[in-house]
Amino acid sequence: MKTVALRQAVEMIPDGAILMVGGFMGVGTPERVVDEIVRQGKRDLTVIANDTATPGVGVGKLVSSKSISKAIVSHIGLNPETQRQMMDGEMAVELVPQGTLIERIRAGGCGLGGVLTQTGVGTVVEKDKQKIVVKGTEYLLETALHADFALVHAFLADYVGNLSYALTARNFNPVVAMAAGTVIANADHIVPTGVIAPDHVATPGPIVDYLIAN
Amino acid sequence: MKTVALRQAVEMIPDGAILMVGGFMGVGTPERVVDEIVRQGKRDLTVIANDTATPGVGVGKLVSSKSISKAIVSHIGLNPETQRQMMDGEMAVELVPQGTLIERIRAGGCGLGGVLTQTGVGTVVEKDKQKIVVKGTEYLLETALHADFALVHAFLADYVGNLSYALTARNFNPVVAMAAGTVIANADHIVPTGVIAPDHVATPGPIVDYLIAN
Amino acid sequence: MNAQAIIAKRIARELRSGMLVNLGIGIPTMVASYVPGDIHVFFQSENGLIGTGPIPEQGMAHPTLTDAGGHPVTALPGASSFDSAMSFALIRGGHLDLTVLGGLQVDQTGRLANWMIPGKMIPGMGGAMDLVSGAKRVIVAMQHTAKGRSKIVGKCTLPLTSTRPVDMVVSELAVIIFHNGSATLSETAPGVSVDDVIAATQAQLKIPKDVREMQL
Amino acid sequence: MNAQAIIAKRIARELRSGMLVNLGIGIPTMVASYVPGDIHVFFQSENGLIGTGPIPEQGMAHPTLTDAGGHPVTALPGASSFDSAMSFALIRGGHLDLTVLGGLQVDQTGRLANWMIPGKMIPGMGGAMDLVSGAKRVIVAMQHTAKGRSKIVGKCTLPLTSTRPVDMVVSELAVIIFHNGSATLSETAPGVSVDDVIAATQAQLKIPKDVREMQL
């Protein structure tokens, strides 16, 4: 784990990168990192996240700045700009049931090729997917997702990169932290090593590549 | 969630039941519950657990009391009695790679039909299993496991059944708690509701059916 | 009482102590306001909380304690928080006793469509597909008609949320129960006749002898 | 220095600061005793801990802080603990920089057998199959021969642990590297000649010009 300045962290992300971004309607999204991506004018990003929040919040900022060419998300209903870009063909949107999305990300982080779920069977979600029958029940095979970068926001981080999250700001963060080649973390508080009890660490330090300095 | 006496909790378990038992080499196994199962003379149990510990410890007690007709575990190397019963045909043992075992249990608890893993491909573990290719890589389809009862041991429990675990005594406990029809929990300490911070609850109260009174 | 209040109040009567319940946005959220005082229900919010409480007092909101819409909530004593994988493990894994969702259409066999209107509104399914596929019991809270047209139809024309049929629809006119592929009129709202419901419903309804009046 | 110490000391030289490392039981565990003082390595114990420290002082053991064998350990500052699903997510998901395991046989292409001897010893694979399939780098720590017979063989006669080849075998005689399906003698232990290694090895070894002496 290395500690880096915000600017330096975001400079590592090339145009065209695949990003996973923590957060749920902006809650638990690393806003500083998102702001810096907008400032540096990144383009053609693929963003994997729960939702696109609202204009001006979280992933919504990346939509408004036209940084995203493809979004893999479960919900865009509260961001009219996402809907517009999708309808106008400016951005591709792959809609994934929320429970399937988080399991596909988890599978990527856990070295699983995919999971079987009944969610989506018999709906438009099953299109182009392999169906597998186990003990007489039909499931969709949902395959693993991986990213180049995970952008996570924690409540506490320590000097070796251990992260703990607060309440509903946890959401996708610990899961995306496992599924990306490079993990960039931002935290509300950076505390000395040992301050976070072992049982309260949700993302172990060795998983985190870069911690953004205050 | 109901609070029950130890004896009453174990009386609910019929002969022939499928049990999942928390613990790793006996660490984090609800010893009181295991002792009472032995005392009540349960028979023909299927036990799903990480290991069979050592004679006189954790699941090892159930082996010595000949309560188990089938064990689904990853390791039996430190319990010679398990090896003997297996060799003599007294007990069936299904050996499952540890990471596959915990994912099969998790799948059961999460409503997934199974997961794809590379672990075991090209070994004896792949016998009778479906192989699935995703993006050119071959995986084994490992199907979900379910149990009639989960026997879990926690560090703290509160009056609504929330559980938190301590250090390496966590292991299989929160995972098996999700995968059984009836969850019986034992805790080192039962504390008033509100004492366990929301972020420190690993098993939410509504998942627990019975908490054993002190 | 307005239509929404009738629906929410009636659904609240389905709650039992100890249940784990997920409420969708809109009318379903209002159900929480009518929980009988003598029972304790665990409300799950799919963004990672069990034990969601009311809106916080002025000045007491915290950015890390929110509902699925991102708005401030409180956590009751005994609350627990978790990541999204666990949240949907609870939902998909059959640990949720009840989910209450809004609907665009429900067909005669109980199949729900509630996540998109092609060409018009594509908000995404969010957690709806997992909730309907995974919860032990599914209740749809919706007004009986939209622009004069029945939302309880012979066959859904909108994309399905799940092939798993819902258990019950509660509208401002009626309670309809789905079982073995057919729809049965179970209760009518105060002042509403069986014929009123039949007239407002496109789907074929079974009408038993004992259609009761909704207790609110 | 005895055989085990030679093996453990040589493997310790593969450690780098910041690595996440899992050590199996037996000789692999000894590697922790030889970590150079100027580097910080994270040791994972598959029962749910990163930051495993030495055996606790007399009277300071706690029943909830143990190694994979159930024996008391300590946790260093910065340690983290987690359930078994997370523990194997780390292992299977490629987050482990290095795993060091014992071996019964390694074949010419690097395939390891280390979990059973049919009809004689069936301890179960535990985490070995996941570790070999998932870790970024796999080193086998084992004595070169057993009862006078080479453990580095043309083809494993014992059941495989994984078809994924290991990266390196360190024995008391040699360091052998596996790459693209072949085995190369990389280093010999002090006082051991290339011919000694060839004589003790059943597998076909590539012998480069620059076989170095093991630094310990």
Side-chain angles (χ1 to χ4, degrees), chain B residues 106 108-112 158 160 162 177-179 193-194 196-207, chain C residues 18-20 40 42 49-50 75-82 85-86 88-95 97:
Chain B
R106 182 182 179 275
C110 295
L112 300 172
D158 71 16
V160 298
N162 286 314
M178 296 286 286
T193 300
I196 310 174
D199 280 335
H200 302 163
V201 173
T203 299
I207 297 308
Chain C
M19 273 188 173
L20 179 61
H40 178 256
F42 297 93
L49 189 68
I50 288 177
L76 301 174
S80 52
S81 48
F82 31 81
M86 177 64 170
F88 280 85
L90 291 164
I91 291 168
R92 201 193 308 96
H95 304 284
D97 296 296

Side-chain angles (χ1 to χ4, degrees), chain A residues 106 108-112 158 160 162 177-179 193-194 196-207, chain D residues 18-20 40 42 49-50 75-82 85-86 88-95 97:
Chain A
R106 182 182 180 276
C110 295
L112 301 171
D158 71 15
V160 297
N162 286 314
M178 296 287 285
T193 300
I196 310 174
D199 280 335
H200 302 163
V201 173
T203 299
I207 297 308
Chain D
M19 273 188 173
L20 180 60
H40 178 257
F42 298 93
L49 189 68
I50 289 176
L76 301 174
S80 53
S81 49
F82 32 80
M86 177 63 169
F88 280 85
L90 291 165
I91 291 167
R92 200 194 307 98
H95 304 284
D97 296 296

Side-chain angles (χ1 to χ4, degrees), chain D residues 39-54:
Chain D
I39 70 168
H40 178 257
V41 175
F42 298 93
F43 287 110
Q44 184 213 23
S45 182
E46 63 263 39
N47 54 323
L49 189 68
I50 289 176
T52 308

Side-chain angles (χ1 to χ4, degrees), chain D residues 68-147:
Chain D
H71 304 298
V73 292
T74 47
L76 301 174
S80 53
S81 49
F82 32 80
D83 68 24
S84 297
M86 177 63 169
S87 196
F88 280 85
L90 291 165
I91 291 167
R92 200 194 307 98
H95 304 284
L96 206 59
D97 296 296
L98 173 65
T99 185
V100 183
L101 299 100
L104 294 169
Q105 291 180 327
V106 175
D107 79 11
Q108 204 157 297
T109 67
R111 291 184 177 193
L112 170 69
N114 79 340
W115 71 280
M116 74 175 286
I117 302 172
K120 269 180 89 171
M121 183 196 76
I122 312 181
M125 64 292 280
M129 287 190 173
D130 295 288
L131 284 160
V132 177
S133 302
K136 283 185 197 153
R137 191 151 179 255
V138 181
I139 298 180
V140 175
M142 66 179 189
Q143 302 210 27
H144 210 94
T145 57
K147 295 177 188 166

Side-chain angles (χ1 to χ4, degrees), chain A residues 30-186:
Chain A
E31 295 287 350
R32 284 174 77 199
V33 181
V34 167
D35 289 341
E36 181 66 13
I37 290 174
V38 173
R39 200 192 64 79
Q40 291 190 15
K42 304 290 179 189
R43 281 288 174 274
D44 195 24
L45 301 173
T46 293
V47 168
I48 301 170
N50 181 61
D51 54 66
T52 58
T54 51
V57 173
V59 175
K61 292 171 181 169
L62 301 178
V63 175
S64 299
S65 66
K66 303 193 175 173
S67 308
I68 306 177
S69 58
K70 182 173 184 184
I72 301 175
V73 292
S74 79
H75 200 263
I76 57 172
L78 298 172
N79 192 331
E81 176 63 12
T82 306
Q83 302 232 5
R84 191 198 63 70
Q85 289 189 21
M86 177 177 69
M87 300 288 194
D88 294 354
E90 294 173 22
M91 174 170 56
V93 176
E94 181 181 336
L95 290 168
V96 181
Q98 204 167 318
T100 298
L101 180 59
I102 195 73
E103 281 299 322
R104 292 180 65 189
I105 296 169
R106 182 182 180 276
C110 295
L112 301 171
V115 299
L116 305 189
T117 179
Q118 287 183 265
T119 302
V121 169
T123 75
V124 297
V125 166
E126 73 175 30
K127 188 163 174 281
D128 299 332
K129 283 175 190 155
Q130 210 172 325
K131 284 189 186 181
I132 290 172
V133 175
V134 177
K135 291 177 192 159
T137 302
E138 195 174 58
Y139 296 91
L140 300 185
L141 169 59
E142 294 282 4
T143 56
L145 287 172
H146 299 271
D148 301 320
F149 294 86
L151 310 181
V152 310
H153 184 79
F155 180 54
L156 303 180
D158 71 15
Y159 302 175
V160 297
N162 286 314
L163 305 179
S164 78
Y165 306 92
L167 298 164
T168 58
R170 187 167 0 173
N171 57 67
F172 275 51
N173 279 297
V175 186
V176 300
M178 296 287 285
T182 301
V183 177
I184 299 174
N186 187 58

Side-chain angles (χ1 to χ4, degrees), chain B residues 101-119:
Chain B
L101 181 59
I102 195 72
E103 281 298 321
R104 291 182 65 189
I105 296 169
R106 182 182 179 275
C110 295
L112 300 172
V115 298
L116 306 188
T117 179
Q118 286 184 265
T119 302

